[in-house]
Amino acid sequence: MPIFTQSLQKIDTANPQDALKKMANHIKYIQEQLEYTLLNLDSRNINEIDIDKTTITDSTGSTSIGSFIYITGANGESFTVGKNPQGKFEFAVKGKNGTQTMYLNSSGELIITEHASLTIDGGEW
């Protein structure tokens, strides 16, 4: 979706006053379009976000999505995955009060702690 739908009108170099007027009007148009677009950014006018340079957070700060995803709950629960601020890959699930229930260790093994309660539904046989 183009931001600017109008082009600068043809400038007549023999008439400098008219040329300056056309350029001033075009600059004003560009400024108005930029202000409107920047004040109304949403998914209609954003095509791509580089998550290495941009972090998306919610208004409460409980969710952060970028190259490191961090989601928290009201009771201290959390889910983290991605490169943490120290540059190491992290995958962790914490339950109520921040008690760690699952994580990947440095060897890439999934560790389920004694604080996790597992229910396995084997279905019908």
Side-chain angles (χ1 to χ4, degrees):
M1 178 176 99
I3 295 173
F4 306 113
T5 57
Q6 296 178 12
S7 297
L8 178 61
Q9 295 176 4
K10 186 170 171 81
I11 304 278
D12 180 10
T13 56
N15 188 348
Q17 281 186 314
D18 186 54
L20 284 173
K21 184 179 174 183
K22 286 180 180 179
M23 288 190 300
N25 286 338
H26 191 68
I27 291 169
K28 184 179 176 186
Y29 160 76
I30 290 171
Q31 180 181 359
E32 289 172 356
Q33 288 297 309
L34 282 173
E35 287 175 0
Y36 176 82
T37 301
L38 291 173
L39 288 172
N40 294 285
L41 284 176
D42 61 21
S43 60
R44 291 174 295 145
N45 45 29
I46 296 177
N47 297 321
E48 181 179 310
I49 295 175
D50 186 341
I51 60 173
D52 287 337
K53 298 176 183 169
T54 307
T55 300
I56 302 166
T57 57
D58 68 358
S59 59
T60 64
S62 63
T63 304
S64 175
I65 300 172
S67 56
F68 183 67
I69 298 172
Y70 180 66
I71 302 172
T72 61
N75 299 311
E77 330 66 326
S78 69
F79 169 75
T80 56
V81 66
K83 275 191 177 175
N84 65 23
Q86 291 75 38
K88 296 185 178 185
F89 183 79
E90 177 179 316
F91 173 89
V93 178
K94 295 181 181 179
K96 190 174 182 179
N97 299 321
T99 306
Q100 192 160 44
T101 56
M102 291 189 293
Y103 65 95
L104 280 180
N105 67 16
S106 60
S107 299
E109 299 167 322
L110 178 64
I111 307 298
I112 301 173
T113 71
E114 68 274 9
H115 303 290
S117 173
L118 295 178
T119 301
I120 300 172
D121 181 353
E124 292 183 29
W125 292 81

